[in-house]
Amino acid sequence: MGTQTDSVLSLYSNEENWIIMMKMLLNKEELVCDIDNPPYCISKAPKAIRSIKEEAVVPQRIAIGPYHHFKSNLYKMEKCKLEHVKVAHQHLQLPSFELLVDHFQTNATRLRGYYQEVLDVSDDTLSWIMVIDGLFLLQLICNEDPLEFVDSSGRSVTMETILRDVIMLENQIPFFVLENLLAESNHATKIPSLFTLAMKFLPKISPMELQGIFMEERHGNALHLLDFVYNLVCVGGSPVPSTTLDFAVETISLTVWSTLWNTVKTLNFSFLALPVKIIDSTLNVLASMGISFSLQIVEEKALIPTASELSKVKVKLSNTAYGIRTIHFSHADTTLHLPKLTMNINSGTTIGNLLAYEAVAKPETPNFARYMQMMAAMVHTGEDLELLKSQNILKHEGESGNVVKLFNGLRHVLIPEGQSDLDFCIKNINDYYNSRGKIRVKNFIKQLAHSSWRALTVLAIILVLALMALQNFCSIYSCQGLFMASKNNLISSF
């Protein structure tokens, strides 16, 4: 076993741990998961997501769980973490740390079953990790007010930075660890359940604003914190009772057509006056219908139309507030119902880790990935962003340009496989949009132009070159009357 240069264990003799690990590997019974173990593991983030932005899936300040617990660069926060652990231990009036560790050692096999990777630490070390990190996580969850964090160099670390690391897939510990710690408290009968505590903590880490009734019987079986957020975001709450990513983008910029048309309009031939007027009037009518035909062909295979495109065909947007499962398109009132997405300093990390978790745990039903695909497809410009904000579908902090850039990036990396529950809704939106009269005209023009653009472009280039030669000839031999205005010089415009 090679020396782990990024591990604090490399500062000490690691031979004893190596022997323990070898014994565990040779004794297969020690690595067999209990029959009641969860079907999904706490795994490393997929390489596809890690390769995009590693710092979004690898903790930068604080480690939770065995994957990164011994990384030397994270030990700057260890003293601060232990101080919070002691506060939580005292507040909960728990037994001694040694007794808590002994308790988890009896559950070591179950603990290992939650992790996809083989953990090269002893049962004793693993139990200490769970006690320390479990109490730290409880201290975060139980306190409604922000905690203070200072690293070993005396620098303050923001609460948002800590929350950013806590939500990462590789920084998870099983929820049953937290439940067992709460059960050991002398105040166990007075302390709310872990589900209740986690629900109060949810707004600090959730990318959505959720409403409704959340029943512990339905939502209280989360495997870990990220799984808890994922389930609530996807499933959402029940309504309150009342009396009543392969995106192929092919952009063909044909400025030569604009140059040709602008030049034709400058020719001083009387027989061209009527055709030019008719074509200009036709283009103006198409523009008034929302059909842009600027002789620049843009062919994009988008999942759904953008927010501004939907608005032009009278599609309304409404906030469901009950999670992804309630997303739907209503033909009766032409309304697309979407949950409210909050974009802040940690949103990119949270979204990335939710996508990573779904890719590992539930690749067959990529509901969260499909939802993010829909949002990315709807946001192409600042106008789209403002429209979603005005309809309470999107809330963001910071520059609008950065949010648009984030969505533009997501469009090219989100390529989930499997069938989503949202596919039917997406089909309904596209069917409605494509059935509108002016969209049919627009699509017909695009198909016609796209099918013949190569031959037409060659013809346009020939005509432009011919007109350039004619204009050069006239500039030498004084046939100025051929062109209406010298300021519209063909060479400069081309």
Side-chain angles (χ1 to χ4, degrees), residues 447-461:
Q447 290 175 3
L448 182 63
H450 185 69
S451 62
S452 57
W453 73 269
R454 292 180 186 276
L456 293 175
T457 300
V458 172
L459 177 60
I461 291 174

Side-chain angles (χ1 to χ4, degrees), residues 464-484:
V464 168
L465 292 175
L467 288 172
M468 286 175 63
L470 181 60
Q471 192 176 52
N472 285 331
F473 177 84
C474 289
S475 65
I476 297 173
Y477 294 100
S478 301
C479 49
Q480 298 293 340
L482 185 61
F483 293 91
M484 292 182 184

